[in-house]
């Protein structure tokens, strides 16, 4: 089970796929997969294991974390640049409680993704849950 964090340009508000045909849904998911592959190549995608993330979040304060505590690994969402400073503070709290190499690696990857976001204006951070 995983959570994808992807830096990408803001997406236009799209129509719901509830009434879309199967072919339309497949095409949209295929386009997303291509975007994610490109983002991975450019270092703009982080695939996070929920089994590692959730215990780390709970140790750092869980729902009391203003941004990270509100991420739902089973849904999708978007963060904007105004959220970046608070997200940095949340990641600092995660770094303080990381207790093993896997957790420290996750925090380092999150910090690298946020640094990349800081250096590339015009992007938003999208998360896609399982």
């Amino acid at each position: 089970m995983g959570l994808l964090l992807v830096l990408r340009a803001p997406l236009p508000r799209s129509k719901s796929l509830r009434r879309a045909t199967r072919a339309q849904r497949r095409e949209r998911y295929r386009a997303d997969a291509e975007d994610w592959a490109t983002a991975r190549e450019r270092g703009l995608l982080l695939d996070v294991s929920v089994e590692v993330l959730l215990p780390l979040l709970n140790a750092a304060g869980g729902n009391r974390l203003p941004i990270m505590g509100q991420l739902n690994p089973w849904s999708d969402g978007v963060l904007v640049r105004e959220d970046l400073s608070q997200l940095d503070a949340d990641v600092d709290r995660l770094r303080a409680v990381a207790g093993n190499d896997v957790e420290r690696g996750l925090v380092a990857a999150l910090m690298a993704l946020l640094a990349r976001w800081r250096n590339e204006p015009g992007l938003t951070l999208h998360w896609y849950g399982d």
Side-chain angles (χ1 to χ4, degrees):
M1 191 176 273
L3 177 70
L4 282 179
L5 299 172
V6 182
L7 289 173
R8 63 194 305 186
L11 299 174
R13 191 167 181 98
S14 62
K15 294 180 180 178
S16 172
L17 289 181
R18 284 183 288 177
R19 295 185 184 176
T21 65
R22 247 186 243 144
Q24 289 170 322
R25 284 190 188 103
R26 274 196 307 269
E27 183 57 34
R28 176 158 177 200
Y29 296 142
R30 185 176 301 120
D32 281 344
E34 290 171 2
D35 287 347
W36 294 341
T38 302
R40 185 183 307 273
E41 290 171 7
R42 294 185 54 214
L44 301 175
L45 180 137
L46 180 60
D47 191 358
V48 178
S49 169
V50 174
E51 289 82 13
V52 175
L53 179 64
L54 290 181
L56 184 59
L57 284 175
N58 289 334
N63 291 339
R64 292 188 310 263
L65 295 173
I67 302 291
M68 295 292 291
Q70 307 311 312
L71 291 180
N72 183 346
W74 295 277
S75 67
D76 301 341
V78 179
L79 297 174
V80 295
R81 286 192 79 74
E82 289 78 22
D83 298 322
L84 186 56
S85 62
Q86 189 60 56
L87 191 54
D88 280 332
D90 285 359
V91 172
D92 285 341
R93 288 183 65 186
L94 294 177
R95 184 176 54 193
V97 300
N100 59 46
D101 290 340
V102 173
E103 291 176 348
R104 284 189 284 277
L106 172 59
V107 171
L110 283 168
M111 292 173 71
L113 187 67
L114 295 180
R116 190 72 190 261
W117 190 13
R118 215 173 281 106
N119 293 331
E120 294 199 30
L123 298 179
T124 55
L125 181 62
H126 296 249
W127 81 82
Y128 301 96
D130 277 345

